Amino acid sequence: MTTLLLDSDDVNEYARLSAVIDAIEQAFGAFERGTTQMPAKSYIDLPQYNGDFRSMPAYLDTGDWDAAGLKWVNVHPDNPADHDLPTVLGTMIYSDPETALPLAIMDGTALTMKRTGAAAAVATDYLAVEDASSLGLVGAGVQSYTQLEAISEIRPIEEVVVSDPDEERVQRFVETYEDRFDIRSGSISEAGHCDVCSTVTPVEDPIVGLSDVGDHTHINAMGADAEGKHELHDELLDAARIVIDDHEQCTHSGEINVPYHEGVLTDDDIHGEIGELVVGSKAGRTEETGVTVFDSTGLAIQDVAAARVVYETAREDGAGTDFGLIDTDQ
């Protein structure tokens, strides 16, 4: 009984997006049916190091499979300059629910990127127009790559417009995908007028307004992950059909957190949670639907579902490094 050690290269290879998207969709469905356990994210604040730790445990049972795990993740903004380390370092512990055996320890940073892109893909599948062929990206950081990779798995994306004030970052992104897509840099409005638009910025002052999007654009609002962050103007949110991943998290630290606490938006303005669309209790896009917004904060069940895909696929391929973490002779 060994534990499998999987580094970031392993996670990138075996978190195959088609399988991760399917697993994330099942996880959202399980969340809506009440067959998950997901305690609130807990924090350890370390102001002396300008950082924090966050623990994200979860268990889910889809009916076809169950899984459990814990993501231990940090945010240390001084890391790149002071220690030549990433700002975010995640570690995922994936466990057997029946025995508690730690089946795998894997890089959680790459896993987070994959599951975040997959969540946007699931929402896009339910909320974007069926023939969506253009994708706008507001922000060209690391999250934008998995947004494009995942969304192009479920819609025939041909044209990509990316907007970011950092021209070098935009150029790197364009060069990465110029052989696969008709891709160019553009304004926020040009990105927003695509069939699908993902916003992946850390801003606190909204940068995308109602006039910046098309009449039927679907927006994946991915950037807000803390109180005060806010990418979309209130007028845009007010006009849109809003779907969230979790009410508690989204009203606390998601895209809607600022207008919700200011009373600009209320529960009546929220169409439903993504799990409700998955199980069919709420409608996704209909012929009458205009602009749609998916407010994604990221759920621990997503990490566990994605970790299961990585573990099962890596085991089948004989990848990773086995080691004896547990003394089974005791």
Side-chain angles (χ1 to χ4, degrees), residues 159-306:
E159 178 188 0
V160 180
V161 180
V162 58
S163 178
D164 192 296
D166 187 328
E167 294 183 5
E168 289 186 10
R169 196 153 57 177
V170 170
Q171 187 59 34
R172 284 196 300 271
F173 189 87
V174 169
E175 289 174 354
T176 300
Y177 292 108
E178 60 188 356
D179 292 338
R180 294 174 52 190
F181 302 95
D182 175 10
I183 184 170
R184 63 181 176 85
S185 64
S187 66
I188 288 175
S189 183
E190 288 173 303
H193 276 84
C194 291
D195 297 322
V196 181
C197 178
S198 289
T199 59
V200 283
T201 75
V203 299
E204 295 189 1
D205 295 321
I207 56 175
V208 184
L210 182 58
S211 62
D212 293 319
V213 302
D215 292 339
H216 301 282
T217 299
H218 167 62
I219 304 163
N220 295 302
M222 314 301 290
D225 60 357
E227 282 187 273
K229 288 190 176 182
H230 192 17
E231 297 181 293
L232 311 181
H233 282 280
D234 291 351
E235 61 177 0
L236 171 53
L237 290 168
D238 184 58
R241 170 171 287 187
I242 299 172
V243 174
I244 61 179
D245 59 9
D246 174 66
H247 187 276
E248 182 177 356
Q249 287 193 184
C250 287
T251 55
H252 176 268
S253 55
E255 177 57 37
I256 65 172
N257 84 90
V258 174
Y260 188 87
H261 286 289
E262 290 177 348
V264 175
L265 293 179
T266 69
D267 288 344
D268 291 338
D269 299 304
I270 300 170
H271 177 67
E273 293 186 349
I274 185 66
E276 294 179 282
L277 275 58
V278 171
V279 303
S281 61
K282 291 279 181 72
R285 175 170 290 277
T286 65
E287 290 184 3
E288 296 78 25
T289 306
V291 177
T292 57
V293 170
F294 174 52
D295 183 355
S296 173
T297 56
L299 308 180
I301 53 171
Q302 295 170 225
D303 297 303
V304 174

Side-chain angles (χ1 to χ4, degrees), residues 90-165:
T91 302
M92 185 74 195
I93 302 171
Y94 178 66
S95 300
D96 183 340
E98 182 177 2
T99 66
L101 178 72
L103 298 172
I105 298 174
M106 67 184 73
D107 173 60
T109 307
L111 189 78
T112 300
M113 299 298 176
K114 295 280 188 171
R115 63 83 150 151
T116 302
V122 172
T124 299
D125 203 20
Y126 284 90
L127 292 167
V129 294
E130 285 292 331
D131 59 349
S133 61
S134 59
L135 172 65
L137 294 161
V138 179
V142 291
Q143 287 281 5
S144 60
Y145 291 78
T146 49
Q147 289 293 304
L148 175 53
E149 295 282 356
I151 290 169
S152 62
E153 286 279 335
I154 51 85
R155 284 294 190 274
I157 300 300
E158 298 174 0
E159 178 188 0
V160 180
V161 180
V162 58
S163 178
D164 192 296

Side-chain angles (χ1 to χ4, degrees), residues 49-51 74-89:
Y49 300 119
N50 188 28
N74 75 295
V75 176
H76 281 61
D78 297 336
N79 268 1
D82 294 351
H83 305 289
D84 197 26
L85 288 169
T87 298
V88 177
L89 293 163

